[in-house]
Amino acid sequence: MNCMYCGAQVNRGDAVCPGCGADVSVQRKALSLSVRYYNQGLDKAEIRDLSGAIDLLRRSLKFNKLNIEARNLLGLVYFETGEAVSALSEWIISKNIKPDSNVAVEYIRKVQAEPARLDTINQTIQKYNIALKCCREGNEDVAAVQLKKILSQNPKLIKAYHLLALIYIHHEEYEKARKILKKAARIDKTNSTTLRFLKEVDEQTGTVTSLEGRRRGFRRESGHEEKSREIYIPDGDVVVQPASFRESSMFTGIVNIVLGIVVGVLVTWFMAVPSVRRDVNREADEKIVEYSNIMASQETKINDLQTRLEAAEETAESAQQQIQQAGQASESYENLLKAYNAYQNDDYSEAASALSGIDTESLSADARAVYDSIYEDVQGLVFDQLSSEGMDAMNSGDYQEAIDLLSQAVEINDEDYPTLSSLANAYRLSGDDENAIRIFQEIIKKFPDSRRATVAQNAINQIRQSGE
């Protein structure tokens, strides 16, 4: 393994890093736990305990985020539960960590090779959100129709099974809920939500749900057929006793016909009319679902365009910032070159002037070293120049310029009384009483028991009296 501090190669038996001498026992323990949790997660995934596998693989990555095998397997488990977006996220992270010889690249390629399938999965997520919103608004019938279509397009989406089962439980259709939950259990047999819903169904029906597959089928009897009674006689022959005969009159036949008509009308009323109503409601629900699908598709396109627009704007803004930074860096390097040439020619005044126009944040480490070496020799001249220019600006009434120049001078030498006094007065004349008082208080601290401190205190008193 490699040391997390310096990156040096650490051999198996080493307790400390040979490069930096750091204790690597904790790092070695973390890597060992990551491998252990990965192996346990692999075992869980092989027996379709997907929830347990996800938990263990997350723990593995918590101890070692660079565990490529654990991250790739976590993506596969997510994809198996219908979470394609989470799966792609894990694979993309894996690809960025290890671009070469990584099976995640193949996974991403296969998913991207079927854009229609990926778009369908994305739309099922949008439709699931719409179905969830319908449930919250009380339109559970519409949500149920929507969820059935979602599961036909993405039959591994566990969340859709749970929501549909919850709708059935709310409508007390427990057998339908049991059937849906058993399908979810085939995908992830230890999912806590699935097991909790099944427990509720079992409590309501009094029947324990078996999640094991049936080995033998059940014979379905269509009904009890009426058998003719058989009478056995001693010589072995069988005589079938015929059904009894009842005489019917014409009146009885008419009554039977009338009753048949009435029964037929009633059957038609109680069976056909509700059927028609159900058809009408089903067509209405299908229309609503169709419109919802269209809206979801349009929303997906709008979100995609919005994302592209934001990305383009961010790219343009980033490019503009880079151009500005490049311009500042170029100007700083030109001034550094001027300062260096002037310094070599013993023209310290020119060097100080050039150094004052350098933005040190834009310099590289080597350039900053050159700047520091020159600055140490000419900082006195830089201070004198900034202080003189600041006082000139204040005398001309440009108080903001004076504040900028004098503040830079104070950063170089904060013991010079004339510069501090001029800066305090520049703040005072510009109307910034708070900073003026702050500078006057610094003068009192630096020059206690002196006339300078007395003058500064009097100035503070005057500022406070004028503020009242």
Side-chain angles (χ1 to χ4, degrees), residues 108-116:
I108 296 172
R109 187 191 65 78
K110 288 183 178 180
V111 173
Q112 292 178 344
E114 300 181 6

Side-chain angles (χ1 to χ4, degrees), residues 3-259:
C3 176
M4 63 183 295
Y5 300 105
C6 66
Q9 180 71 29
V10 180
N11 297 325
R12 182 179 298 274
D14 294 343
V16 296
C17 174
C20 62
D23 185 3
V24 295
S25 59
V26 176
Q27 182 183 355
R28 193 185 301 278
K29 180 66 174 177
L31 296 178
S32 175
L33 287 173
S34 177
V35 173
R36 180 181 301 177
Y37 282 129
Y38 163 71
N39 291 329
Q40 293 176 358
L42 181 60
D43 292 338
K44 293 283 187 181
E46 287 178 348
I47 61 173
R48 297 203 67 81
D49 184 358
L50 303 186
S51 297
I54 290 173
D55 179 61
L56 290 168
L57 292 172
R58 283 178 175 173
R59 293 186 188 182
S60 175
L61 293 175
K62 191 173 183 180
F63 284 102
N64 181 15
K65 66 180 181 179
L66 302 180
N67 192 334
I68 300 299
E69 290 78 10
R71 194 173 294 279
N72 291 342
L73 181 58
L74 180 59
L76 287 174
V77 176
Y78 275 139
F79 195 82
E80 187 65 17
T81 58
E83 300 288 346
V85 176
S86 299
L88 282 172
S89 299
E90 297 298 334
W91 292 334
I92 290 172
I93 294 173
S94 174
K95 176 184 175 183
N96 290 332
I97 295 174
K98 182 182 178 184
D100 300 327
S101 301
N102 191 342
V103 70
V105 178
E106 182 66 17
Y107 295 155
I108 296 172
R109 187 191 65 78
K110 288 183 178 180
V111 173
Q112 292 178 344
E114 300 181 6
R117 176 60 179 166
L118 185 60
D119 184 62
T120 300
I121 294 175
N122 290 334
Q123 287 188 11
T124 57
I125 301 299
Q126 295 282 345
K127 293 175 183 178
Y128 171 80
N129 293 330
I130 294 174
L132 185 60
K133 182 178 179 182
C134 290
C135 288
R136 290 172 177 169
E137 294 174 352
N139 300 323
E140 296 180 354
D141 293 336
V142 177
V145 175
Q146 182 79 286
L147 291 169
K148 290 177 182 178
K149 288 197 172 184
I150 291 172
L151 292 174
S152 66
Q153 296 173 342
N154 187 3
K156 295 182 179 180
L157 189 60
I158 296 289
K159 296 187 294 186
Y161 285 109
H162 291 162
L163 185 56
L164 182 57
L166 192 61
I167 293 173
Y168 285 145
I169 292 174
H170 185 255
H171 290 172
E172 298 183 356
E173 297 177 325
Y174 299 114
E175 294 304 323
K176 290 184 178 180
R178 194 197 308 273
K179 182 178 179 182
I180 289 296
L181 292 171
K182 290 177 73 173
K183 290 182 179 180
R186 294 191 192 103
I187 300 173
D188 183 5
K189 67 179 184 179
T190 62
N191 187 280
S192 59
T193 303
T194 302
L195 299 178
R196 187 170 68 253
F197 287 177
L198 277 174
K199 182 179 179 182
E200 177 68 20
V201 172
D202 293 345
E203 290 178 354
Q204 295 295 331
T205 59
T207 304
V208 178
T209 303
S210 175
L211 298 179
E212 299 295 332
R214 296 180 180 178
R215 296 182 179 179
R216 289 179 294 180
F218 292 93
R219 290 181 297 175
R220 184 178 301 173
E221 296 183 0
S222 60
H224 298 286
E225 295 181 358
E226 183 179 357
K227 298 181 179 179
S228 301
R229 290 180 296 169
E230 297 178 346
I231 300 175
Y232 294 86
I233 58 177
D235 59 2
D237 293 334
V238 178
V239 179
V240 179
Q241 182 179 358
S244 59
F245 174 81
R246 291 186 300 174
E247 184 178 358
S248 300
S249 64
M250 182 179 295
F251 176 76
T252 302
I254 294 174
V255 170
N256 290 335
I257 293 173
V258 172
L259 289 176

